[in-house]
Amino acid sequence: MDLLTVFIALAAGALSFLSPCVFPLIPAYVSHITGSSIRNNKIEVDRKLLLMRSITFILGFSVVFIAMGASASMVGRIFAEQRELVQKVSGLLIILFGMQMVGWLQLRWFMTNKSWDAGRLQSTGGSLRSFLTGLAFGSGWTPCVGLALSSILLMAGSSETLWSGIGMLAVYSLGLGIPFLLISVVLTYSTGVMKIINQYVPVLSKINGWLFIGMGLLLFTGQLQKIGAWLARYTLFDITL
């Protein structure tokens, strides 16, 4: 897995976190996994407990996403002889996902999603509950995350190795998890940061769309691997999977 792919997967995860469908719900997720409430314009909870529950929540959705990456890679290996065709089809789909994010398309079937009722997990205590909530989040992702996640899964399906596909989704999970961890800590000081960042969420959603349009074009034309190979000559670290 080259450095360009790592950057794309990491950026996709971070921009997914900042999507209009996810970011506004972060206080609710943090309150649920910690069993805390918002008072005095902040979430009142022990920060050590918050970090522990946030990490187990991140591990929960990471398990789901990485399993998806492994499955996508296995499917891709079945069509290994038709890799060029798979890359072109994947590129076109990613371009469509990007156009949906930018707002050029309004295809309702792109916006369908599954959901779990987090209230069912109320009887489960401690870190196990936050882990199961993470599994629920990963299994029933919101539409905005679904588009970005589907794009990374398509890339994983067109990758050359199983480990490369797993690596892409691991990096994507990292891109989604690190901002969640940081914001959850910030919320214990003030929820005002949510209002500030919310002003830029629509713009960030469009940036997400443009990122995937560009990525889809590179994948469709076969330039993604060429650029990655070229950049690999100038990197200090070998990230080959």
Side-chain angles (χ1 to χ4, degrees), residues 51-163:
L51 288 174
M52 184 182 302
R53 299 286 174 82
S54 295
I55 289 172
T56 52
F57 174 78
I58 293 167
L59 287 174
F61 67 68
S62 295
V63 166
V64 176
F65 292 161
I66 291 171
M68 289 179 181
S71 301
S73 298
M74 291 179 66
V75 172
R77 294 177 70 182
I78 296 174
F79 297 99
E81 295 181 357
Q82 303 294 329
R83 186 169 300 280
E84 185 176 347
L85 176 62
V86 171
Q87 287 181 345
K88 289 187 178 297
V89 172
S90 298
L92 285 174
L93 287 174
I94 292 172
I95 291 171
L96 288 176
F97 293 162
M99 293 173 70
Q100 179 83 5
M101 294 178 199
V102 171
W104 291 351
L105 296 177
Q106 295 295 328
L107 301 177
R108 293 183 179 180
W109 56 280
F110 276 173
M111 302 303 288
T112 57
N113 68 297
K114 300 177 292 182
S115 61
W116 273 16
D117 183 5
R120 297 176 182 177
L121 304 175
Q122 290 289 354
S123 59
T124 307
S127 296
L128 178 59
R129 182 176 71 178
S130 59
F131 180 78
L132 292 175
T133 304
L135 289 177
F137 175 81
S139 301
W141 63 87
T142 59
C144 289
V145 173
L147 292 174
L149 178 60
S150 297
S151 299
I152 299 300
L153 286 173
L154 287 169
M155 287 186 63
S158 61
S159 62
E160 296 182 358
T161 67
L162 174 65
W163 288 108

Side-chain angles (χ1 to χ4, degrees), residues 33-45:
I33 64 177
T34 60
S36 59
S37 59
I38 300 177
R39 296 177 182 174
N40 301 319
N41 200 35
K42 64 180 181 180
I43 293 180
E44 296 186 349
V45 63

